Amino acid sequence: MNAVIPSRKESPDFGKVAVLMGGASAEREVSLMSGAGVLAALRAQGVDAHAFDPAERDLAELKREGFARCFIALHGRFGEDGTVQGALELLGIPYTGSGVMASAIAIDKIMTKRVWLHEGIPTPRYALLRRGEYDRARLMSLPDELGLPVIVKPAREGSSIGVSKVQGYSEVAQAVDAAAVLDADVLCEQFIAGDEVTCPILGTGENARALPIIRIVAPEGNYDYEHKYFTDDTQYLVPSGLPAQEEARIQELVLKAYRTLGCRGWGRVDVMIDATTREPSLLEINTSPGMTSHSLVPMSARAVGIDYETLCVELLKTAALDHPRLDAAAVNPGGAE
């Protein structure tokens, strides 16, 4: 990736660009902040960029209004889960980030774990609870099965929405019920005590590369929604301070996890490092990471000389379709018989 900021004259002609932002998920407010930053950056680089909120406008308007590509700054369901990606495939409008299948798998933390475990990628032990299908006996068995504390979260939410750290048996039911309000599937996960880190990835396939790891130090280890976006109490360390060999190993593991799911364009993988064994465990992958002033991908990119505006333009260059349209001659070169 080029770390030099292109001038307006050097900026590629992307045509009319929609920055998809807002949307209907629980992460709408964060998405609006991400989208506003991306929109300003692209316009500063001479791109004909426009805000587009799928919660307020029909996606079919993208085609009618002549948009040539989309920068997806949506987070969570109805934006990061393959639904919008599928609509854009049908419209034939290239978009940033992962395609339909990779997005659909990655948004689901349980499906992601199943794929990773099959490929030998370490992730914390877990149990799946389905709304309305668990009883008190099952809830009380979780601490024995996974140990305490237990992390409880909705299977398909991001930004730490609905996440609880359960310290004792008496807290399990309330945490699970709260997560079940947000998602029919509830993930109960082994807690890994140690360093919390995240690693962004740029690129696709064998050309994908890991950016520097960021080590996250939150007040009392509580990296929740508020500490992610609305306070300055959390420390983000880049360089991470990890031993070089350890960081390189995690980057290699993260790239494997990214490629295994078929992700493209960009992403970010969250990892816990066990304080005793120093073994990493992958928590989840974000296929449409935040781009706010507190966001981690821009922070890591800056560490290797890629400023925010350059990052946005370079990501826009990667906009693509899973299945580019073929003209009739290419599909049936012999014509009708």
Side-chain angles (χ1 to χ4, degrees):
M1 240 175 157
N2 189 352
V4 178
I5 302 175
S7 69
R8 287 175 179 267
K9 291 183 180 180
E10 293 172 330
S11 292
D13 182 7
F14 296 111
K16 190 176 180 181
V17 174
V19 178
L20 303 188
M21 55 197 285
S25 81
E27 298 178 71
R28 174 178 173 81
E29 295 306 314
V30 177
S31 173
L32 288 171
M33 291 189 290
S34 287
V38 171
L39 183 65
L42 293 179
R43 286 178 170 174
Q45 291 296 302
V47 178
D48 182 20
H50 305 262
F52 192 103
D53 188 344
E56 298 177 353
R57 303 177 65 185
D58 191 319
L59 285 171
E61 293 181 31
L62 291 167
K63 193 73 171 179
R64 289 196 294 267
E65 295 183 12
F67 284 99
R69 63 179 65 199
C70 294
F71 191 116
I72 297 180
L74 298 165
H75 306 316
R77 282 178 281 189
F78 315 114
E80 195 174 351
D81 61 355
T83 52
V84 165
Q85 289 77 8
L88 294 174
E89 291 284 336
L90 291 172
L91 292 170
I93 302 175
Y95 54 91
T96 57
S98 291
V100 178
M101 183 185 71
S103 298
I105 294 173
I107 192 70
D108 189 319
K109 298 177 181 65
I110 293 165
M111 290 304 298
T112 297
K113 281 177 171 289
R114 288 171 175 165
V115 174
W116 282 348
L117 287 170
H118 184 269
E119 296 298 321
I121 296 169
T123 183
R125 291 182 294 109
Y126 74 99
L128 166 63
L129 299 182
R130 298 189 186 278
R131 182 193 296 154
E133 297 182 10
Y134 53 83
D135 57 18
R136 178 173 175 77
R138 178 66 182 118
L139 293 178
M140 291 302 99
S141 72
L142 289 171
D144 297 329
E145 181 179 338
L146 300 173
L148 286 171
V150 175
I151 302 298
V152 177
K153 62 182 80 170
R156 290 171 287 262
E157 289 289 355
S159 296
S160 299
I161 292 172
V163 177
S164 301
K165 183 178 180 181
V166 173
Q167 302 282 3
Y169 288 83
S170 62
E171 301 173 18
V172 175
Q174 182 178 354
V176 171
D177 288 345
V181 170
L182 297 169
D183 198 310
D185 290 342
V186 176
L187 171 63
C188 303
E189 190 174 54
Q190 171 196 14
F191 174 72
I192 305 292
D195 290 327
E196 183 171 4
V197 302
T198 194
C199 183
I201 307 103
L202 301 179
T204 301
E206 292 305 310
N207 292 323
R209 66 184 179 107
L211 291 179
I213 286 174
I214 299 174
R215 185 157 58 94
I216 301 163
V217 183
E220 299 179 358
N222 186 24
Y223 190 45
D224 58 11
Y225 183 83
E226 189 72 17
H227 287 126
K228 278 188 176 183
Y229 299 107
F230 300 106
T231 75
D232 294 315
D233 297 334
T234 300
Q235 297 180 63
Y236 301 101
L237 305 179
V238 55
S240 65
L242 299 176
Q245 187 174 2
E246 186 171 275
E247 174 150 355
R249 180 187 173 204
I250 293 171
Q251 288 175 315
E252 183 178 349
L253 190 61
V254 161
L255 278 171
K256 179 181 178 181
Y258 178 85
R259 291 168 177 148
T260 293
L261 296 184
C263 297
R264 62 172 163 88
W266 67 321
R268 200 193 77 235
V269 179
D270 298 334
V271 182
M272 291 299 301
I273 306 171
D274 188 286
T276 303
T277 66
R278 302 308 296 173
E279 290 296 319
S281 289
L282 277 60
L283 301 180
E284 62 182 90
I285 185 168
N286 300 275
T287 55
S288 181
M291 290 291 282
T292 72
S293 60
H294 282 65
S295 292
L296 304 178
V297 176
M299 187 183 303
S300 179
R302 281 197 300 272
V304 290
I306 305 170
D307 65 80
Y308 186 91
E309 290 182 1
T310 301
L311 177 64
C312 291
V313 170
E314 294 295 327
L315 290 173
L316 187 58
K317 287 180 183 178
T318 69
L321 292 167
D322 278 343
H323 305 289
R325 299 283 180 89
L326 298 176
D327 61 35
V331 174
N332 186 16
E337 295 184 2

